[in-house]
Amino acid sequence: MPISSQSFVHRVRSQLESLPATERQLADFLLEFPGELASYTGNELAELAGVSPATVSRFIRRIGYRNYEAARRHAREERESGSPLFQATADGGATTDPVAVHFQQSQANLAATFGRLDGRQLVEIARTIARADHVLIFGSRASHGFAVYLRWQLIQVVPRVTAIPGAGETLGEHTAALGRNDCVIVFGTRRQTRQMSAVIQAAVRARAKLLFISDRSSPDCADATWSLQCDCRGPGRLDDHAAVMALCNVIATRVIEASGTAGRKRLAAIELAHETFEEL
Protein backbone atom coordinates (compact mmCIF):
# COMPACT_ATOMS: atom_id res chain seq x y z
CA MET A 1 0.00 0.00 0.00
CA PRO A 2 1.56 3.36 -0.93
CA ILE A 3 2.07 5.57 2.07
CA SER A 4 -0.09 8.33 0.56
CA SER A 5 -3.11 6.03 0.81
CA GLN A 6 -2.53 5.03 4.44
CA SER A 7 -4.62 6.65 7.15
CA PHE A 8 -2.90 8.58 9.91
CA VAL A 9 -3.88 5.93 12.47
CA HIS A 10 -2.56 3.13 10.25
CA ARG A 11 0.80 4.87 9.94
CA VAL A 12 1.06 5.19 13.72
CA ARG A 13 -0.03 1.60 14.42
CA SER A 14 2.40 0.16 11.89
CA GLN A 15 5.36 1.67 13.81
CA LEU A 16 4.32 0.88 17.39
CA GLU A 17 6.58 -2.10 18.01
CA SER A 18 9.76 -0.34 16.84
CA LEU A 19 9.32 3.01 18.61
CA PRO A 20 11.65 4.20 21.39
CA ALA A 21 9.96 4.89 24.73
CA THR A 22 9.21 8.61 24.36
CA GLU A 23 7.89 8.24 20.82
CA ARG A 24 5.74 5.28 21.95
CA GLN A 25 4.29 7.56 24.64
CA LEU A 26 3.40 10.10 21.96
CA ALA A 27 1.98 7.37 19.69
CA ASP A 28 -0.24 6.03 22.48
CA PHE A 29 -1.55 9.54 23.11
CA LEU A 30 -2.26 10.16 19.43
CA LEU A 31 -4.04 6.83 19.01
CA GLU A 32 -6.31 7.85 21.86
CA PHE A 33 -6.85 11.39 20.55
CA PRO A 34 -5.71 11.62 16.90
CA GLY A 35 -7.81 14.75 16.46
CA GLU A 36 -5.38 16.63 18.67
CA LEU A 37 -2.86 16.68 15.83
CA ALA A 38 -5.26 18.74 13.75
CA SER A 39 -6.03 21.13 16.60
CA TYR A 40 -2.64 22.06 18.05
CA THR A 41 0.82 23.20 17.07
CA GLY A 42 3.74 20.83 17.51
CA ASN A 43 4.79 22.50 20.78
CA GLU A 44 1.25 22.35 22.15
CA LEU A 45 0.94 18.69 21.23
CA ALA A 46 4.26 17.94 22.92
CA GLU A 47 3.02 19.53 26.14
CA LEU A 48 -0.26 17.62 26.03
CA ALA A 49 1.50 14.30 25.46
CA GLY A 50 4.23 14.98 28.00
CA VAL A 51 7.13 14.76 25.52
CA SER A 52 9.59 17.20 23.97
CA PRO A 53 9.00 19.11 20.70
CA ALA A 54 12.00 17.27 19.27
CA THR A 55 10.26 13.96 19.96
CA VAL A 56 7.21 15.17 18.05
CA SER A 57 9.36 16.14 15.05
CA ARG A 58 11.23 12.81 15.00
CA PHE A 59 8.02 10.84 15.30
CA ILE A 60 6.26 12.73 12.50
CA ARG A 61 9.14 12.03 10.13
CA ARG A 62 9.32 8.40 11.22
CA ILE A 63 5.70 7.74 10.19
CA GLY A 64 6.31 9.19 6.74
CA TYR A 65 5.36 12.87 6.77
CA ARG A 66 7.60 15.58 5.41
CA ASN A 67 6.90 17.84 8.38
CA TYR A 68 4.40 18.50 11.15
CA GLU A 69 2.18 20.67 8.98
CA ALA A 70 1.76 17.86 6.42
CA ALA A 71 0.72 15.46 9.16
CA ARG A 72 -1.61 18.06 10.65
CA ARG A 73 -3.25 18.65 7.28
CA HIS A 74 -3.80 14.90 6.81
CA ALA A 75 -5.36 14.58 10.27
CA ARG A 76 -7.61 17.56 9.54
CA GLU A 77 -8.83 15.90 6.34
CA GLU A 78 -9.68 12.71 8.24
CA ARG A 79 -11.50 14.71 10.92
CA GLU A 80 -13.54 16.47 8.27
CA SER A 81 -14.44 13.11 6.73
CA GLY A 82 -16.41 12.33 9.90
CA SER A 83 -14.14 9.67 11.42
CA PRO A 84 -15.24 9.30 15.09
CA LEU A 85 -11.63 8.73 16.13
CA PHE A 86 -10.85 12.35 15.27
CA GLN A 87 -13.75 13.96 17.09
CA ALA A 88 -12.86 13.59 20.76
CA THR A 89 -10.34 15.74 22.59
CA ALA A 90 -8.05 14.98 25.50
CA ASP A 91 -10.11 17.00 27.98
CA GLY A 92 -13.21 14.92 27.17
CA GLY A 93 -15.39 18.01 26.77
CA ALA A 94 -17.82 19.46 29.28
CA THR A 95 -21.04 17.56 29.81
CA THR A 96 -23.85 17.30 32.34
CA ASP A 97 -24.91 13.85 31.16
CA PRO A 98 -22.09 11.28 31.40
CA VAL A 99 -24.48 8.44 30.52
CA ALA A 100 -25.23 10.08 27.18
CA VAL A 101 -21.52 10.56 26.50
CA HIS A 102 -20.80 6.87 27.08
CA PHE A 103 -23.78 5.83 24.98
CA GLN A 104 -22.73 8.05 22.08
CA GLN A 105 -19.15 6.77 22.22
CA SER A 106 -20.31 3.15 22.20
CA GLN A 107 -22.53 3.90 19.22
CA ALA A 108 -19.62 5.52 17.37
CA ASN A 109 -17.34 2.57 18.13
CA LEU A 110 -19.96 0.06 16.96
CA ALA A 111 -20.64 2.00 13.76
CA ALA A 112 -16.95 2.29 12.87
CA THR A 113 -16.23 -1.37 13.69
CA PHE A 114 -19.18 -2.83 11.83
CA GLY A 115 -18.57 -0.49 8.91
CA ARG A 116 -15.28 -2.30 8.27
CA LEU A 117 -16.65 -5.85 8.47
CA ASP A 118 -16.82 -7.94 5.32
CA GLY A 119 -19.80 -10.31 5.26
CA ARG A 120 -18.07 -12.81 2.97
CA GLN A 121 -15.03 -12.90 5.23
CA LEU A 122 -17.24 -13.54 8.27
CA VAL A 123 -18.86 -16.48 6.47
CA GLU A 124 -15.39 -17.91 5.74
CA ILE A 125 -14.34 -17.45 9.38
CA ALA A 126 -17.53 -19.09 10.66
CA ARG A 127 -17.19 -22.11 8.38
CA THR A 128 -13.58 -22.59 9.42
CA ILE A 129 -14.46 -22.48 13.12
CA ALA A 130 -17.42 -24.84 12.66
CA ARG A 131 -15.31 -27.40 10.79
CA ALA A 132 -12.13 -27.17 12.88
CA ASP A 133 -10.89 -30.23 14.75
CA HIS A 134 -10.15 -28.02 17.75
CA VAL A 135 -10.64 -24.32 18.47
CA LEU A 136 -8.30 -22.59 20.92
CA ILE A 137 -9.23 -19.09 22.13
CA PHE A 138 -6.63 -16.93 23.85
CA GLY A 139 -6.99 -13.63 25.65
CA SER A 140 -5.15 -12.25 28.66
CA ARG A 141 -6.06 -9.51 31.12
CA ALA A 142 -9.31 -7.84 30.00
CA SER A 143 -9.32 -9.95 26.84
CA HIS A 144 -9.59 -13.14 28.88
CA GLY A 145 -13.24 -12.30 29.46
CA PHE A 146 -13.84 -12.09 25.71
CA ALA A 147 -12.17 -15.49 25.21
CA VAL A 148 -14.32 -17.13 27.88
CA TYR A 149 -17.51 -15.53 26.54
CA LEU A 150 -16.85 -16.57 22.93
CA ARG A 151 -15.97 -20.10 24.01
CA TRP A 152 -19.21 -20.30 26.01
CA GLN A 153 -21.20 -19.38 22.91
CA LEU A 154 -19.32 -21.58 20.43
CA ILE A 155 -19.33 -24.74 22.52
CA GLN A 156 -23.08 -24.99 22.01
CA VAL A 157 -22.41 -26.23 18.47
CA VAL A 158 -18.64 -26.88 18.31
CA PRO A 159 -17.61 -29.74 20.62
CA ARG A 160 -13.91 -28.96 21.05
CA VAL A 161 -13.45 -25.33 22.06
CA THR A 162 -11.01 -24.29 24.77
CA ALA A 163 -10.21 -20.91 26.30
CA ILE A 164 -6.50 -20.96 27.16
CA PRO A 165 -4.76 -21.13 29.47
CA GLY A 166 -7.06 -22.35 32.23
CA ALA A 167 -6.24 -22.02 35.91
CA GLY A 168 -3.01 -23.85 36.70
CA GLU A 169 -2.43 -24.73 33.05
CA THR A 170 0.40 -23.90 30.66
CA LEU A 171 0.19 -22.84 27.02
CA GLY A 172 2.31 -25.79 25.95
CA GLU A 173 -0.28 -28.24 27.21
CA HIS A 174 -2.73 -26.82 24.68
CA THR A 175 -0.53 -25.85 21.74
CA ALA A 176 1.62 -28.99 21.54
CA ALA A 177 -0.97 -30.89 19.48
CA LEU A 178 -2.03 -28.03 17.19
CA GLY A 179 -2.47 -28.98 13.55
CA ARG A 180 -3.49 -27.44 10.24
CA ASN A 181 -7.14 -28.45 10.76
CA ASP A 182 -7.33 -26.44 13.98
CA CYS A 183 -8.34 -22.81 14.46
CA VAL A 184 -6.78 -20.38 16.93
CA ILE A 185 -8.59 -17.20 17.94
CA VAL A 186 -6.46 -14.55 19.63
CA PHE A 187 -7.81 -11.41 21.29
CA GLY A 188 -5.07 -8.81 20.98
CA THR A 189 -6.73 -5.79 22.57
CA ARG A 190 -4.33 -3.73 24.59
CA ARG A 191 -2.51 -4.38 26.89
CA GLN A 192 -1.52 -7.99 26.34
CA THR A 193 0.98 -10.24 28.09
CA ARG A 194 3.94 -11.87 26.35
CA GLN A 195 1.96 -15.10 26.16
CA MET A 196 0.07 -13.73 23.15
CA SER A 197 3.15 -13.85 20.91
CA ALA A 198 3.80 -17.45 21.98
CA VAL A 199 0.28 -18.51 21.02
CA ILE A 200 0.55 -16.78 17.63
CA GLN A 201 3.92 -18.41 16.93
CA ALA A 202 2.53 -21.84 17.85
CA ALA A 203 -0.42 -21.37 15.48
CA VAL A 204 1.89 -20.27 12.66
CA ARG A 205 4.23 -23.24 13.17
CA ALA A 206 1.29 -25.65 13.10
CA ARG A 207 -0.21 -23.91 10.05
CA ALA A 208 -3.49 -23.60 11.94
CA LYS A 209 -5.96 -20.93 10.86
CA LEU A 210 -5.50 -17.80 12.96
CA LEU A 211 -8.17 -15.19 13.69
CA PHE A 212 -6.73 -12.07 15.33
CA ILE A 213 -9.13 -9.63 16.99
CA SER A 214 -7.63 -6.36 18.20
CA ASP A 215 -8.44 -2.72 18.85
CA ARG A 216 -7.37 0.18 16.67
CA SER A 217 -4.72 1.25 19.18
CA SER A 218 -2.83 -2.07 19.16
CA PRO A 219 -0.33 -3.51 16.67
CA ASP A 220 -1.79 -5.72 13.98
CA CYS A 221 -0.76 -9.35 13.40
CA ALA A 222 0.86 -9.89 10.01
CA ASP A 223 0.72 -13.68 10.43
CA ALA A 224 -3.04 -13.84 10.96
CA THR A 225 -5.30 -15.58 8.45
CA TRP A 226 -7.91 -12.96 9.29
CA SER A 227 -7.46 -9.75 11.26
CA LEU A 228 -10.45 -7.83 12.64
CA GLN A 229 -10.09 -4.48 14.39
CA CYS A 230 -12.56 -2.98 16.83
CA ASP A 231 -12.89 0.66 17.83
CA CYS A 232 -12.54 0.71 21.61
CA ARG A 233 -11.85 4.31 22.55
CA GLY A 234 -13.76 5.27 25.67
CA PRO A 235 -14.93 8.71 26.79
CA GLY A 236 -12.82 8.40 29.94
CA ARG A 237 -9.72 6.55 31.04
CA LEU A 238 -11.14 3.09 30.32
CA ASP A 239 -11.54 1.52 26.89
CA ASP A 240 -15.07 0.87 25.65
CA HIS A 241 -15.41 -2.79 24.62
CA ALA A 242 -18.99 -2.77 23.33
CA ALA A 243 -17.76 -3.40 19.78
CA VAL A 244 -15.64 -6.40 20.83
CA MET A 245 -18.58 -8.07 22.55
CA ALA A 246 -20.84 -7.31 19.59
CA LEU A 247 -18.28 -8.84 17.22
CA CYS A 248 -18.17 -11.97 19.39
CA ASN A 249 -21.94 -12.21 19.08
CA VAL A 250 -21.78 -11.88 15.29
CA ILE A 251 -19.11 -14.57 15.03
CA ALA A 252 -20.97 -16.97 17.32
CA THR A 253 -24.24 -16.46 15.44
CA ARG A 254 -22.56 -17.15 12.10
CA VAL A 255 -20.85 -20.26 13.49
CA ILE A 256 -24.17 -21.64 14.77
CA GLU A 257 -25.60 -21.19 11.28
CA ALA A 258 -22.51 -22.71 9.64
CA SER A 259 -22.60 -25.77 11.91
CA GLY A 260 -25.67 -27.05 10.05
CA THR A 261 -27.29 -30.36 10.99
CA ALA A 262 -24.46 -31.42 13.30
CA GLY A 263 -24.77 -28.19 15.24
CA ARG A 264 -28.54 -28.52 15.59
CA LYS A 265 -28.16 -32.10 16.85
CA ARG A 266 -25.64 -30.94 19.44
CA LEU A 267 -27.93 -28.12 20.55
CA ALA A 268 -30.80 -30.60 20.93
CA ALA A 269 -28.63 -33.01 22.92
CA ILE A 270 -27.52 -30.21 25.24
CA GLU A 271 -31.11 -29.13 25.85
CA LEU A 272 -32.07 -32.73 26.63
CA ALA A 273 -29.17 -32.96 29.08
CA HIS A 274 -30.34 -29.75 30.77
CA GLU A 275 -33.74 -31.34 31.35
CA THR A 276 -32.26 -34.66 32.51
CA PHE A 277 -29.96 -33.01 35.02
CA GLU A 278 -32.51 -30.31 35.94
CA GLU A 279 -29.74 -27.77 35.49
CA LEU A 280 -31.85 -24.80 34.43
Side-chain angles (χ1 to χ4, degrees):
M1 179 188 298
I3 198 164
S4 60
S5 66
Q6 294 176 352
S7 70
F8 173 79
V9 169
H10 179 88
R11 295 192 193 197
V12 176
R13 291 182 79 248
S14 67
Q15 297 289 333
L16 280 179
E17 291 302 291
S18 61
L19 293 175
T22 54
E23 290 184 38
R24 177 60 188 258
Q25 179 179 331
L26 174 60
D28 287 340
F29 176 83
L30 285 171
L31 286 171
E32 282 291 301
F33 308 104
E36 300 296 352
L37 190 70
S39 304
Y40 294 101
T41 66
N43 288 345
E44 290 169 336
L45 178 64
E47 184 176 353
L48 278 172
V51 300
S52 69
T55 296
V56 173
S57 297
R58 285 194 303 271
F59 174 76
I60 290 301
R61 290 194 299 271
R62 188 188 299 274
I63 62 175
Y65 293 103
R66 184 175 64 259
N67 52 42
Y68 184 82
E69 187 53 39
R72 188 180 185 186
R73 184 165 54 251
H74 190 188
R76 189 179 299 119
E77 290 171 357
E78 294 198 55
R79 184 173 66 181
E80 291 172 355
S81 74
S83 171
L85 266 178
F86 287 79
Q87 306 309 311
T89 58
D91 62 11
T95 179
T96 57
D97 190 351
V99 174
V101 171
H102 279 264
F103 177 64
Q104 290 164 6
Q105 185 60 59
S106 293
Q107 281 187 311
N109 288 343
L110 283 164
T113 300
F114 276 63
R116 289 190 299 273
L117 293 181
D118 183 329
R120 290 172 296 182
Q121 185 183 64
L122 285 172
V123 169
E124 182 184 2
I125 291 170
R127 287 175 177 169
T128 300
I129 293 172
R131 297 169 183 171
D133 290 344
H134 197 174
V135 179
L136 295 183
I137 311 178
F138 172 84
S140 64
R141 306 184 77 246
S143 292
H144 180 67
F146 309 142
V148 171
Y149 172 77
L150 185 56
R151 184 256 180 191
W152 173 55
Q153 297 288 28
L154 294 180
I155 202 169
Q156 298 179 78
V157 293
V158 180
R160 298 190 65 200
V161 185
T162 309
I164 63 170
E169 298 175 346
T170 66
L171 291 178
E173 292 164 352
H174 293 285
T175 61
L178 269 178
R180 63 172 59 215
N181 293 325
D182 297 327
C183 181
V184 178
I185 303 172
V186 172
F187 285 93
T189 55
R190 65 176 190 174
R191 301 164 60 192
Q192 283 296 321
T193 64
R194 294 177 180 176
Q195 288 180 312
M196 186 182 77
S197 295
V199 174
I200 291 172
Q201 291 168 10
V204 172
R205 285 195 301 269
R207 298 184 180 179
K209 293 293 190 295
L210 175 59
L211 169 60
F212 187 72
I213 301 173
S214 65
D215 60 75
R216 299 273 282 171
S217 299
S218 299
D220 206 349
C221 177
D223 294 318
T225 312
W226 310 282
S227 182
L228 303 178
Q229 296 174 4
C230 299
D231 284 66
C232 296
R233 186 175 56 79
R237 294 183 179 273
L238 298 177
D239 288 344
D240 179 286
H241 291 127
V244 181
M245 294 302 290
L247 178 59
C248 288
N249 185 270
V250 171
I251 292 171
T253 300
R254 299 280 79 80
V255 171
I256 290 173
E257 293 179 357
S259 66
T261 301
R264 289 192 293 273
K265 287 182 177 179
R266 178 170 169 79
L267 276 172
I270 291 172
E271 288 303 312
L272 179 60
H274 287 329
E275 292 183 22
T276 302
F277 301 141
E278 297 182 350
E279 290 181 308
L280 300 178

